[in-house]
Amino acid sequence: MFDFSKTVDRHGTWCTQWDYIADRFGANDLLPFTISDMDFATAPCITETLEKRIAHGVLGYSRWQHEDFLGALRHWYAKRFNSAIDTDTAVYGPSVIYMVAQLIRLWSQPGEFVVTHTPAYDAFYKVVLGNQRQLLSCPLKQKEGEWYCDMAHLEALLARPQTKVLLLCSPQNPTGKVWTQAELHIMAELCERHDVKVISDEIHMDMTWGEHRHTPWNEVGKTPWALLTSASKSFNIPALTGAYGFINDPATRDAYFLQLKSKDGLSSPAVLAVAAHIAAYREGQPWLDELRGYLQANLEYVAHELNAAFPQLNWKIPQATYLAWIDLRALAVDDQALQRILIDEEKVAIMPGFTYGEEGRGFVRLNVGCPRSKVELGVQKLISALNKLVK
Ligand SMILES: Cc1ncc(COP(=O)(O)O)c(C=O)c1O
């Protein structure tokens, strides 16, 4: 029903992915596979809703605490995750990371510790360090190609008296790990044992593949927690600036609203983002499901081509996200040399793994949220660059 193979020219739309590529990669003429947004137009049900709202013409102050929005959230959680989310606990904000920042400030003091699994989404480092907290890294381990958390190590970090918050990424960016219910229960118990609060960033929740199922934190949480998310990744609308979440602890919720509305003066939500969320969650399922099929096929293509060129990689598609986290360590190529060839000779921008911390060395992250024709170009250029380096 929907054509994801169509190329939309994003140049000249002030988009970070294409128009500002030189900021990160030092050159403008690169084919980008970088930050996590997609090259697809959003779902037609969203564009139609936005067009109607714009045609009305009046774009005055707005609200989000109404049944149209909250009912749409409940509907989505019931349909997609079989979860009865309590919308009395709902909160709203301009972006997930803005909300993460607020919760870190509410739940810890400067100098105290925030624990997160690494490699981690680069904004996690920035938001923790930018708020003068210390980041304690719990490196993810691998067994037979699957990522897992060393729970004993995690517990040792949570047990430190200055640790106040576990910043969880569920599903995890960049590894694409989907946390199992059993793992989530263990982490919830460890946080309870050591009196650690949980911020669960679930922005990639709709993009899990195969048999892997996302379990929202409200199903397992014990200590005060905040589940923060948005339809922005799934429906490719991050520039509308809208996110939401759920905070189970009433005192924290009140404090969050005080920060948002009084201290930061952000009382009106972006009405177009609210309208887009309602349309996405009420009418967007068919589009999203078709997109999910397309993205999985993109990832399968990457696996097929990479493994054909370099069988020793034995690369498997991630459990979630449209971000291919590719372990190149078996090829023993130098990260900087690879980036130089990718940029200077192959003219592609592919995220070096070290963007996501020390554990990312030897990896690259390739965003496949784009038409297959572009993925084909990107993968062939990556293979070509690797061939130049592998002896
Ligand atoms: C795990 C994760 N959280 C948050 C974000 C950004 O969300 P927002 O723009 O709403 O802060 C991203 C975007 O890449 C992400 O991968």
Side-chain angles (χ1 to χ4, degrees), residues 4 6-10 15 17-18 31-33 35 37-42 236 322 367-371 374-375:
F4 295 106
K6 185 169 157 237
T7 299
V8 182
D9 184 2
R10 297 180 69 188
C15 75
Q17 182 87 246
W18 292 79
L31 194 64
F33 298 87
I35 57 164
D37 70 8
M38 299 184 279
D39 288 338
F40 306 120
T42 190
N236 206 31
Y322 51 79
N367 175 348
V368 303
C370 55
K374 185 183 160 203
V375 177

Side-chain angles (χ1 to χ4, degrees), residues 36 95-98 121 124 169 173 201 203-204 232-233 238 243:
S36 45
S95 75
V96 168
I97 295 299
Y98 169 88
Y121 170 45
F124 277 18
C169 193
N173 175 9
D201 174 340
I203 200 167
H204 294 282
S232 61
K233 285 277 163 252

Side-chain angles (χ1 to χ4, degrees), residues 22-300:
D23 291 352
R24 254 187 213 260
F25 289 84
N28 269 321
D29 56 342
L30 307 178
L31 194 64
F33 298 87
T34 64
I35 57 164
S36 45
D37 70 8
M38 299 184 279
D39 288 338
F40 306 120
T42 190
C45 65
I46 294 183
T47 353
E48 283 154 23
T49 297
L50 295 178
E51 277 163 6
K52 257 193 233 146
R53 189 65 190 77
I54 298 274
H56 180 265
V58 183
L59 294 163
Y61 291 117
S62 184
R63 298 232 176 161
W64 59 272
Q65 268 161 315
H66 42 71
E67 191 47 28
D68 288 338
F69 181 68
L70 299 177
L73 303 187
R74 279 198 306 278
H75 175 72
W76 194 252
Y77 271 75
K79 275 257 176 209
R80 305 300 291 198
F81 311 117
N82 195 24
S83 180
I85 197 84
D86 176 6
T87 45
D88 288 347
T89 66
V91 291
Y92 190 86
S95 75
V96 168
I97 295 299
Y98 169 88
M99 298 169 90
V100 170
Q102 295 288 18
L103 268 298
I104 286 176
R105 288 201 287 271
L106 284 171
W107 281 342
S108 66
Q109 296 298 318
E112 291 184 328
F113 302 162
V114 175
V115 175
T116 203
H117 298 97
T118 53
Y121 170 45
D122 46 333
F124 277 18
Y125 296 97
K126 289 184 196 147
V127 74
V128 171
L129 302 178
N131 282 291
Q132 291 84 43
R133 273 62 171 174
Q134 276 192 51
L135 188 124
L136 294 191
S137 149
C138 183
L140 288 169
K141 303 259 169 70
Q142 250 181 327
K143 194 160 69 192
E144 286 157 21
E146 303 237 325
W147 295 98
Y148 73 95
C149 166
D150 174 347
M151 294 294 178
H153 186 201
L154 179 65
E155 175 158 25
L157 300 176
L158 297 175
R160 294 178 68 174
Q162 286 147 293
T163 299
K164 300 297 167 193
V165 175
L166 170 66
L167 176 53
L168 183 69
C169 193
S170 175
Q172 215 262 350
N173 175 9
T175 61
K177 177 180 170 52
V178 175
W179 298 99
T180 64
Q181 283 202 8
E183 290 171 320
L184 292 169
H185 277 295
I186 294 172
M187 291 193 284
E189 272 164 28
L190 294 179
C191 288
E192 186 181 36
R193 190 176 304 157
H194 299 290
D195 198 17
V196 170
K197 299 178 175 71
V198 178
I199 303 173
S200 186
D201 174 340
E202 304 192 4
I203 200 167
H204 294 282
M205 64 191 187
D206 295 310
M207 299 296 190
T208 62
W209 315 134
E211 76 276 19
H212 302 285
R213 295 277 171 277
H214 172 70
T215 304
W217 189 260
N218 60 296
E219 294 290 332
V220 297
K222 292 176 188 288
T223 47
W225 52 258
L227 184 175
L228 308 175
T229 191
S230 174
S232 61
K233 285 277 163 252
S234 318
F235 289 89
N236 206 31
I237 49 171
L240 290 179
T241 58
Y244 66 90
F246 307 95
I247 298 177
N248 69 333
D249 174 47
T252 307
R253 220 162 43 235
D254 289 349
Y256 173 81
F257 284 133
L258 185 74
Q259 295 243 32
L260 181 86
K261 295 181 184 178
S262 300
K263 290 193 185 160
D264 290 356
L266 278 175
S267 38
S268 178
V271 68
L272 297 183
V274 172
H277 273 77
I278 297 168
Y281 286 175
R282 287 287 181 193
E283 303 162 56
Q285 281 215 73
W287 182 88
L288 182 69
D289 284 334
E290 209 171 306
L291 170 67
R292 287 164 41 81
Y294 193 88
L295 293 172
Q296 283 173 82
N298 275 357
L299 289 164
E300 295 290 359

